[in-house]
């Protein structure tokens, strides 16, 4: 059974800092791994999706990497801004099966 | 891109009443949809898998008689919370499968008073 863990649970950084969020999964037989952002009381916003055959995906200041063999993914946020404050969730998919979510990392970027 | 809608976005109901939440795939057909629940400061937990034309599959600990799921068409799945209690207050999110990707609805905030 797939389990997804995210570290740290919470992170507070000053504006402008680069940061890394970590995600690990127990079953390396994934189809893809997805990073989401969730603002308080809101739904999910998909940030990046990495297919199992890919090593990384980039979108603007965000870069996500995937290492299936070690069961790890990282989300790198460059030059953080207060508007980046949110909870970041990673989720692993084994095809058309339900996504398995981590508990998230709550990020606060202080101006 | 694929769009999934949910209705209502927010609902308040009295204890003992039933509430229906709709999940629609707007520009694609979805044989499979998933229903998740999220309690405050917790991650999303899968409640059930909804398959068009067949009975839903419920996760362990989720009461199928309380959370009725109907997937009557390839673009619509409904979740009905029957005899709602305050502990059912939560954020309910659906997703629809298009190929091997899932697209999420914006969620429904249910408050039971």
């Amino acid at each position: 059974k797939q389990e997804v863990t995210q570290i740290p649970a919470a992170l507070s950084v000053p504006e402008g800092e680069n940061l890394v969020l970590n995600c690990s999964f127990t079953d390396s037989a994934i189809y893809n791994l997805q990073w989401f952002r969730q603002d308080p009381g809101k739904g999910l916003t998909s940030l990046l999706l990495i297919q199992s055959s890919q090593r990384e995906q980039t979108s603007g200041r965000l870069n996500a990497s995937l290492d299936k063999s070690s069961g790890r993914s990282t989300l790198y946020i460059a030059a953080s801004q207060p508007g980046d404050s949110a909870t970041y969730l990673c989720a692993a998919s084994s095809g058309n099966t339900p996504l398995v979510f981590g508990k998230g990392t709550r990020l606060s970027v202080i101006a | 891109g694929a769009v999934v809608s949910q209705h209502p976005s927010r609902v308040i109901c009295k204890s003992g009443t039933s509430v229906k939440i709709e999940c629609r795939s707007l520009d694609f057909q979805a044989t499979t949809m998933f229903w998740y629940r999220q309690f405050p400061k917790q991650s999303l937990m899968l409640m059930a898998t909804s398959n068009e034309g067949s009975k839903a599959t419920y996760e362990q600990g989720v009461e199928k008689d309380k959370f009725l799921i109907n997937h009557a068409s390839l673009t619509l799945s409904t979740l009905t919370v029957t005899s709602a209690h305050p502990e059912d207050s939560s954020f309910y999110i659906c997703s629809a499968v298009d190929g091997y990707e899932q697209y999420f609805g914006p969620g429904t905030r249910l408050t039971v008073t």
Side-chain angles (χ1 to χ4, degrees), chain B residues 4 11 16 18 20 24 26 29 36 44 54 65 69 73-74 78-79 83 85 88 91 93 100 103 107 110:
Chain B
V4 176
V11 58
S18 295
K20 180 185 284 188
R24 293 183 186 271
L26 299 185
Q29 294 183 328
Y36 297 84
L44 279 78
S54 64
D65 294 329
I69 291 173
S73 78
L74 288 171
T78 60
L79 169 67
S83 187
H85 290 132
D88 298 324
F91 193 55
I93 300 180
Y100 286 108
Y103 298 90
L110 170 63

Side-chain angles (χ1 to χ4, degrees), chain B residues 47-91:
Chain B
M47 296 177 67
T49 301
S50 172
N51 295 300
E52 188 268 338
S54 64
K55 291 184 178 180
T57 304
Y58 291 82
E59 295 300 297
Q60 192 171 9
V62 179
E63 300 174 56
K64 62 179 181 180
D65 294 329
K66 180 172 181 61
F67 298 98
L68 301 179
I69 291 173
N70 187 300
H71 194 152
S73 78
L74 288 171
T75 59
L76 173 65
S77 175
T78 60
L79 169 67
T80 302
V81 183
T82 62
S83 187
H85 290 132
E87 56 264 33
D88 298 324
S89 298
S90 188
F91 193 55

Side-chain angles (χ1 to χ4, degrees), chain B residues 13-31:
Chain B
C13 71
K14 291 188 177 180
S15 189
T17 62
S18 295
V19 174
K20 180 185 284 188
I21 302 170
E22 294 185 348
C23 176
R24 293 183 186 271
S25 55
L26 299 185
D27 49 3
F28 65 100
Q29 294 183 328
T31 305

